[in-house]
Amino acid sequence: MSTIPAQAKTATEEQWLIESLRNGDEAAFALLLERYQVALTRLARMYVSSREVAEEVAQETWLGVLQGLDRFEGRSSLKTWIFTILINCAKTRGQRESRSIPFSAMWNGDAEPYEPAADPERFLPPDHPETPRHWVSFPNNWDTIPEEYLLAQETRAYIEDAIETLAPNQRAVITLRDVEGWTSSEVCNVLGISETHQRVLLHRARSKVRRALEKYFDGKRPSARTT
Amino acid sequence: MTTANELTCQELIELVTEYLEGTLSPTERARFDAHLGTCAGCRTWLEQMRRTIRTLGKLTEESIPPESKQELLQLFRNWKKVS
Ligand SMILES: [Zn+2]
């Protein structure tokens, strides 16, 4: 009864999922849990004080999803709908916890402080006679770093740490876009931000993760050791 | 000699995300490509950004902890009972 139709990843699958849920099919619910629970808690964590609270928020979200199923009209995708419920629950919870960063400030595009993608000292001064604002010395080529190395547990942990230190709004955007593979319009919809603002946040976040990776690689250049 | 029309390296690296998202205007894109064609440093930078993004895309192998799953399935069963 509850077999997942092969290669059905589109609107048809979505309809099948919704129908199955309405009919109380536990396998359909389990599939959604596998797909979204980790991302839901990760995103909730940006609004509330602890992992435990984030899990409560996710639970509250699932309940909201089940209770709202009959009202779901498919005007947005199922995924967008679920995550919108999450954001609402998380915000309410975060406000109750009275976290120090007000959301209006956190998501105000105009209030984004300027952060260059690279240290200005890496460039020649603006009044340089021949090549102003060009590289003082070129960045190191990563071609010699094998792909497996990038995926090693240690590198992954390092990247996770780098993401962890980002401002919450940058963390939300990079997590959804690059880690979860969402489209920019899905992210804008769920977070309620403009395309432009989303791009600024994404750019800053990626630039910082790049910088962290560079620091990591430069600290252990493979050329230094031949093994 | 750099003319006013040419992109500098420092400017280029701030446009990388727009370049990759395909949101630069045709003129800006042409300036971007023109700079890349002559600057190995910026080509390396762009490649580093691409590699960063690729690596981020491979982070998400984490799956739901079994306890959470059980708890949430219980939530589902309870909901089914009352609905
Ligand atoms: Zn350059």
Side-chain angles (χ1 to χ4, degrees):
Chain A
M1 270 280 82
S2 53
T3 35
I4 301 144
Q7 292 159 331
K9 276 232 154 206
T10 48
T12 335
E13 192 215 27
E14 194 155 282
Q15 253 170 1
W16 170 81
L17 270 170
I18 293 160
E19 275 314 304
S20 307
L21 287 176
R22 282 175 181 156
N23 294 333
D25 182 347
E26 193 171 304
F29 190 67
L31 180 71
L32 284 181
L33 292 178
E34 291 290 347
R35 215 176 264 178
Y36 301 132
Q37 172 65 13
V38 172
L40 285 172
T41 34
R42 205 180 276 169
L43 195 58
R45 187 66 189 79
M46 289 163 209
Y47 295 86
V48 300
S49 61
S50 70
R51 203 186 160 84
E52 291 68 45
V53 179
E55 272 168 20
E56 284 170 30
V57 168
Q59 194 164 76
E60 203 182 319
T61 302
W62 288 117
L63 200 59
V65 167
L66 293 173
Q67 286 165 349
L69 264 181
D70 287 334
R71 277 175 283 118
F72 178 69
E73 289 169 353
R75 248 184 262 125
S76 61
S77 73
L78 182 61
K79 174 168 94 175
T80 311
W81 182 62
I82 295 174
F83 279 83
T84 307
I85 296 176
L86 174 93
I87 297 285
N88 287 333
C89 292
K91 278 185 182 169
T92 310
R93 192 61 185 256
Q95 268 150 3
R96 221 182 305 149
E97 284 188 320
S98 59
R99 299 252 293 164
S100 48
I101 321 151
F103 295 104
S104 50
M106 183 162 138
W107 295 109
N108 181 354
D110 303 328
E112 240 25 92
Y114 177 67
E115 299 168 294
D119 193 332
E121 283 172 17
R122 296 185 72 165
F123 302 96
L124 296 167
D127 58 357
H128 188 273
E130 272 129 44
T131 50
R133 301 185 199 275
H134 280 56
W135 297 104
V136 172
S137 68
F138 284 174
N140 279 321
N141 204 311
W142 290 358
D143 287 355
T144 50
I145 300 163
E147 204 77 16
E148 310 90 78
Y149 185 80
L150 274 168
L151 301 177
Q153 198 48 50
E154 196 188 337
T155 319
R156 295 165 72 114
Y158 197 80
I159 299 171
E160 297 269 14
D161 282 352
I163 296 175
E164 200 59 40
T165 60
L166 295 171
N169 51 5
Q170 295 178 2
R171 203 187 326 149
V173 171
I174 200 170
T175 302
L176 295 176
R177 281 298 309 277
D178 291 342
V179 182
E180 300 292 333
W182 290 28
T183 66
S184 63
S185 59
E186 285 173 333
V187 173
C188 292
N189 266 333
V190 165
L191 298 180
I193 54 176
S194 71
E195 293 272 349
T196 314
H197 189 199
Q198 188 251 173
R199 231 163 22 238
V200 170
L201 294 171
L202 183 62
H203 183 67
R204 305 243 165 107
R206 282 177 176 172
S207 300
K208 285 183 200 162
V209 175
R210 189 218 62 86
R211 188 191 295 225
L213 274 175
E214 179 178 58
K215 212 171 123 205
Y216 181 68
F217 292 146
D218 286 352
K220 41 163 75 196
R221 290 249 93 199
S223 57
R225 289 185 355 195
T226 39
T227 42
Chain B
M1 198 57 202
T2 311
T3 68
N5 211 4
E6 272 174 52
L7 217 50
T8 65
C9 303
Q10 201 170 8
E11 287 166 337
L12 183 138
I13 65 162
E14 299 300 345
L15 296 175
V16 166
T17 301
E18 290 203 57
Y19 180 76
L20 295 174
E21 299 274 282
T23 50
L24 287 178
S25 73
T27 323
E28 285 174 315
R29 193 172 177 93
R31 286 172 81 211
F32 193 103
D33 284 328
H35 181 105
L36 272 190
T38 60
C39 181
C42 284
R43 283 199 298 273
T44 301
W45 183 273
L46 180 63
E47 194 40 47
Q48 287 187 356
M49 287 294 274
R50 285 200 167 114
R51 210 137 178 215
T52 301
I53 297 162
R54 250 194 345 262
T55 310
L56 283 163
K58 292 182 177 149
L59 283 183
T60 177
E61 302 309 328
E62 204 187 329
S63 58
I64 176 171
E67 326 79 74
S68 310
K69 189 169 177 178
Q70 283 318 313
E71 221 174 290
L72 290 164
L73 285 175
Q74 194 52 52
L75 178 106
F76 183 78
R77 288 173 205 134
N78 295 343
W79 165 77
K80 225 169 109 175
K81 254 183 265 164
V82 296
S83 71

